[in-house]
Amino acid sequence: MDVQMESGWKSQLQLEFEKPYFKALTEFVKREYTQNRCYPKGSDIFAAFDHCPFEATKVVILGQDPYHGPGQANGLCFSVADGIPHPPSLVNIFKEIETDVQKPYPTSGNLERWADQGVLLLNATLTVRAHQAGSHQGKGWETFTDSVIEKISENSENVVFLLWGGFAKKKAKLIDGKRHRILTSGHPSPLSANRGYWFGNRHFSKCNKILSAEGNKTIDW
């Protein structure tokens, strides 16, 4: 199956594209996009990979589901397109960055600037039906994105994984903790953050310290 994707990722994932589950997933997604309004737009479904080539990946942030409101999802977890109001979780991410690395709160919630520096912003499910959170879960995306995590674990070195919330933390079992670094905390959603599970985790400065220690360029958050 010919999937349009950054060449390094395509090489890593080519065998996945040939598996029966992925072919069924592809048919499901095509049907959904034909019959319903879905997000992100088709050309952005694999945007996380296109902005962050496999060989350049040094940080992975895991999300669960794309935003399901108009104009929000752009293919990168937690990110929204330029000019779109910041969702609550993204607000709390930016607030933590403000206090952690003293970077001013940004105007745009578009995180392509992170992805272009080697941060893979990966949702577990890459598509969603408009206004129906979780509507494309359990259709095969999770199998695919678990494979993505395993490929990074097996074929890369010294990647920093930021696992926020219970769902993301479960993915730790897919990662070789001897080859990579895993940082965990509560989710940046208001429910978790307001209970004290997010603010103060200092993941952004901690991540940069790890990258620097390994001789990698740090992320300009």
Side-chain angles (χ1 to χ4, degrees):
M1 182 175 294
D2 186 30
V3 175
Q4 299 302 309
M5 180 184 279
E6 187 274 326
S7 60
W9 284 111
K10 193 168 185 176
S11 176
Q12 290 289 329
L13 298 166
Q14 189 60 52
L15 292 178
E16 289 301 302
F17 301 148
E18 305 302 327
K19 292 180 180 179
Y21 89 85
F22 194 86
K23 294 181 179 181
L25 170 63
T26 301
E27 291 305 313
F28 166 78
V29 171
K30 285 180 178 177
R31 190 166 61 250
E32 280 286 290
Y33 273 69
T34 299
Q35 298 176 357
N36 304 283
R37 183 176 294 278
C38 297
Y39 301 120
K41 63 183 180 182
S43 59
D44 283 344
I45 291 174
F46 296 113
F49 304 94
D50 295 331
H51 280 278
C52 182
F54 180 81
E55 295 296 334
T57 301
K58 52 191 178 184
V59 180
V60 178
I61 297 177
L62 294 179
Q64 190 164 357
D65 220 29
Y67 296 123
H68 53 84
Q72 291 182 305
N74 67 349
L76 312 178
C77 74
F78 295 107
S79 175
V80 292
D82 292 321
I84 298 295
H86 302 174
S89 290
L90 185 57
V91 170
N92 287 338
I93 288 170
F94 288 151
K95 284 181 177 179
E96 177 61 23
I97 289 171
E98 273 190 295
T99 57
D100 184 17
V101 298
Q102 291 76 55
K103 190 173 178 67
Y105 192 101
T107 301
S108 174
N110 192 335
L111 301 182
E112 289 177 358
R113 61 185 183 274
W114 295 2
D116 293 338
Q117 297 177 75
V119 182
L120 181 67
L121 294 161
L122 181 67
N123 274 317
T125 303
L126 299 188
T127 57
V128 69
R129 193 184 295 180
H131 309 299
Q132 296 185 39
S135 50
H136 287 186
Q137 292 178 4
K139 303 296 184 181
W141 277 130
E142 296 91 340
T143 303
F144 174 71
T145 53
D146 279 359
S147 178
V148 170
I149 296 168
E150 290 171 339
K151 293 296 183 187
I152 298 170
S153 179
E154 294 166 4
N155 299 322
S156 298
E157 298 285 345
N158 302 316
V159 174
V160 184
F161 288 83
L162 306 183
L163 307 184
W164 301 335
F167 179 86
K169 289 176 185 176
K170 291 177 182 176
K171 303 298 182 180
K173 65 181 183 292
L174 304 173
I175 304 163
D176 183 346
K178 295 179 181 177
R179 297 178 65 174
H180 306 282
R181 293 290 298 273
I182 301 171
L183 300 179
T184 63
S185 85
H187 196 274
S189 67
L191 184 64
S192 172
N194 293 339
R195 290 177 175 174
Y197 300 135
W198 166 255
F199 292 117
N201 66 26
R202 304 199 66 194
H203 274 194
F204 305 96
S205 61
K206 289 177 181 177
C207 177
N208 275 346
K209 283 182 180 178
I210 294 167
L211 292 174
S212 182
E214 296 293 342
N216 288 320
K217 189 175 180 181
T218 59
I219 305 299
D220 179 10
W221 301 107

